[in-house]
Amino acid sequence: MTILVLNAGSSSLKLAVLDPVSGVRRLTALAERLGTPQASVRVNREDAVALDDPSFAGALTFLQPRLQERDLRIHGIGHRVVHGGEQFTAATLIDDAVCRAIDTCSRLAPLHNPANLAGITATRTLFPDLPQVAVFDTAFHQTMPPQAWRYAVPEAWYREHGVRRYGFHGTSHRYVAARAAEMIGRPLAELALITAHLGNGCSAAAISGGRSLDTTMGLTPLEGLVMGTRSGDVDPGIIAHLVQATGQDAVAITRQLNSASGLLGLSGLSNDMRTITTAAADGHPGANLALTVFCYRLAKHIAALTVALGRLDALVFTGGIGEHSAVVRARTLALLGFLGLREDPVANASDGDANGRITLPGGTQALVVPTDEERLIAQDTADLIARRRESTR
Ligand code: ADP
């Protein structure tokens, strides 16, 4: 099968046509600055082209002839959807009722779900004959037990307003856990893993037998680890304190916790880990502090997540930072020697040996596993299409 995978953000649209089994891309496209006069789209490595109609539908209409070229033969469309609430525990074939449910979940992800839905609406109009599937960032974490997903807050907040921990990056955590099992050479069903997805957003998950038991993000992606521009864990008392001290409202302060904090807030320099590590090596005090807090918080959360597992077979690093920053991995492992993790400096410097391993033999393993969320979305989509064919046969 050939599957079109769509990731619609608030002002961008990422698109890939791929073989779900091999993961080989047959076409990729990125539309950026949608909704503005500067909207453009780039197909494969060709030059960017300005869009006359800067909407999602405009970008897809522009791409439609390329997607319908005879040799591509797309069988179905998989959509990344950020929030599936408690309703969606796995990938789902899209119909009108599913669209309504995704819309209902928008109250939990007001920046993301409406954009995801706009992508779905546009492709349902342009490709009415193709089956479409929603793959949710939250679904993988729906196996968490109540002690992991409940906040210790009044029950009515949960019942009436959905205030609980959902977790995100589920597609990445699920993909790298399965790949890690292959690379280690043991069945996923036997393994107790912690996966650390470290990109612009960062989260870690405790995965036992392929099921998520706990994760660091919560109701929103703000909770947990230090990220590029997000604070991660803070005392919620900070918000009322700053409302009183500065006269800003809670929404404005929360916006700064999301977009002016993390590596950027600590360093005063950048949200980009490459810039931070280079500046820290040159003695920049803010960058050094940002790197130290980032690795300390990460190690602290990894240690906490071992409580959910009772033991640790392997720690997995993924995402742009996890896959490429030997400094972050080395500093994090150095704080976790008591879990049996001992860095192999040579393997770590080359982003892992042939099996991704970056630790010395004999102890607990840590490995680098490149993530590929688009490939798992394509696999889920192809599986659901095949199952639907079976059931209608
Ligand atoms: P996103 O979450 O947007 O998909 P990525 O997974 O690509 O982002 O991760 C982006 C982060 O990865 C940035 O902080 C970037 O600096 C970092 N990164 C990418 N390459 C390297 C590298 N060689 N060394 C250190 N950090 C890197």
Side-chain angles (χ1 to χ4, degrees), residues 112-186:
H112 295 103
N113 273 34
N116 303 153
L117 205 48
I120 292 171
T121 307
T123 50
R124 286 184 90 201
T125 307
L126 287 173
F127 305 97
D129 299 329
L130 289 179
Q132 314 222 7
V133 168
V135 181
F136 301 90
D137 267 23
T138 50
F140 180 58
H141 301 299
Q142 281 294 307
T143 49
M144 290 193 293
Q147 67 264 29
W149 63 256
R150 285 306 291 258
Y151 289 115
V153 298
E155 163 82 12
W157 294 8
Y158 164 56
R159 261 188 291 107
E160 292 166 23
H161 305 293
V163 173
R164 53 158 285 177
R165 306 185 67 249
Y166 293 94
F168 299 87
H169 291 143
T171 310
S172 179
H173 289 297
R174 183 160 62 101
Y175 179 82
V176 296
R179 279 291 296 137
E182 286 171 12
M183 290 157 84
I184 293 167
R186 287 175 59 191

Side-chain angles (χ1 to χ4, degrees), residues 14 169 197-202 228 263 271-277 318-326 328 351 371 373:
K14 243 175 113 178
H169 291 143
H197 176 103
L198 311 174
N200 281 309
C202 302
L263 295 174
N271 65 321
D272 190 295
M273 187 55 92
R274 278 167 294 205
T275 309
I276 295 293
T277 34
T318 194
I321 297 170
E323 291 169 33
H324 303 295
S325 177
V328 167
D351 295 340
T371 195
E373 293 162 89

Side-chain angles (χ1 to χ4, degrees), residues 44-374:
N44 297 328
R45 298 220 167 94
E46 299 162 17
D47 289 339
V49 178
L51 281 172
D52 294 333
D53 173 357
S55 66
F56 278 112
L60 281 163
T61 306
F62 176 86
L63 290 166
Q64 192 178 20
R66 297 294 295 268
L67 297 171
Q68 288 177 327
E69 276 172 14
R70 204 170 325 140
D71 62 332
L72 270 188
R73 286 197 12 96
I74 294 168
H75 296 88
I77 304 179
H79 294 268
R80 175 184 181 216
V81 180
V82 167
H83 219 304
E86 289 184 324
Q87 191 165 345
F88 295 104
T89 57
T92 306
L93 273 166
I94 294 173
D95 57 17
D96 291 343
V98 168
C99 286
R100 282 195 297 276
I102 292 171
D103 189 35
T104 306
C105 293
S106 290
R107 73 189 170 115
L108 296 166
L111 296 179
H112 295 103
N113 273 34
N116 303 153
L117 205 48
I120 292 171
T121 307
T123 50
R124 286 184 90 201
T125 307
L126 287 173
F127 305 97
D129 299 329
L130 289 179
Q132 314 222 7
V133 168
V135 181
F136 301 90
D137 267 23
T138 50
F140 180 58
H141 301 299
Q142 281 294 307
T143 49
M144 290 193 293
Q147 67 264 29
W149 63 256
R150 285 306 291 258
Y151 289 115
V153 298
E155 163 82 12
W157 294 8
Y158 164 56
R159 261 188 291 107
E160 292 166 23
H161 305 293
V163 173
R164 53 158 285 177
R165 306 185 67 249
Y166 293 94
F168 299 87
H169 291 143
T171 310
S172 179
H173 289 297
R174 183 160 62 101
Y175 179 82
V176 296
R179 279 291 296 137
E182 286 171 12
M183 290 157 84
I184 293 167
R186 287 175 59 191
L188 182 59
E190 285 181 1
L191 292 172
L193 302 172
I194 291 177
T195 50
H197 176 103
L198 311 174
N200 281 309
C202 302
S203 73
I207 300 173
S208 176
R211 292 159 63 87
S212 172
L213 295 186
D214 202 350
T215 189
T216 55
M217 284 178 169
L219 172 74
T220 75
L222 188 53
E223 190 178 337
L225 306 178
V226 175
M227 315 185 203
T229 61
R230 294 191 196 118
S231 61
D233 291 342
V234 291
D235 177 351
I238 287 176
I239 296 177
H241 173 74
L242 286 176
V243 166
Q244 281 169 355
T246 69
Q248 299 178 73
D249 65 15
V251 173
I253 292 160
T254 306
R255 199 179 307 122
Q256 292 167 72
L257 289 171
N258 271 297
S259 60
S261 303
L263 295 174
L264 176 63
L266 280 166
S267 68
L269 183 68
S270 172
N271 65 321
D272 190 295
M273 187 55 92
R274 278 167 294 205
T275 309
I276 295 293
T277 34
T278 307
D282 290 344
H284 186 288
N288 201 14
L289 177 69
L291 183 60
T292 303
V293 178
F294 183 94
C295 297
Y296 174 74
R297 178 86 59 86
L298 174 59
K300 188 166 122 172
H301 270 282
I302 289 167
L305 286 170
T306 61
V307 173
L309 299 171
R311 68 171 210 274
L312 181 63
D313 294 321
L315 169 64
V316 178
F317 288 96
T318 194
I321 297 170
E323 291 169 33
H324 303 295
S325 177
V327 174
V328 167
R329 293 190 304 255
R331 291 186 60 164
T332 307
L333 291 176
L335 295 166
L336 292 170
F338 64 93
L339 291 176
L341 291 155
R342 283 184 306 139
E343 184 206 4
D344 175 339
V346 175
N348 187 38
S350 49
D351 295 340
D353 67 12
N355 294 315
R357 192 172 167 132
I358 55 168
T359 40
L360 295 169
T364 307
Q365 290 195 46
L367 48 162
V368 174
V369 179
T371 195
D372 192 347
E373 293 162 89
E374 287 168 349

Side-chain angles (χ1 to χ4, degrees), residues 9-13 31-40 51-59:
S10 53
S11 65
S12 71
L13 179 65
E32 292 179 290
R33 291 184 281 278
L34 294 176
T36 76
Q38 290 79 38
S40 68
L51 281 172
D52 294 333
D53 173 357
S55 66
F56 278 112

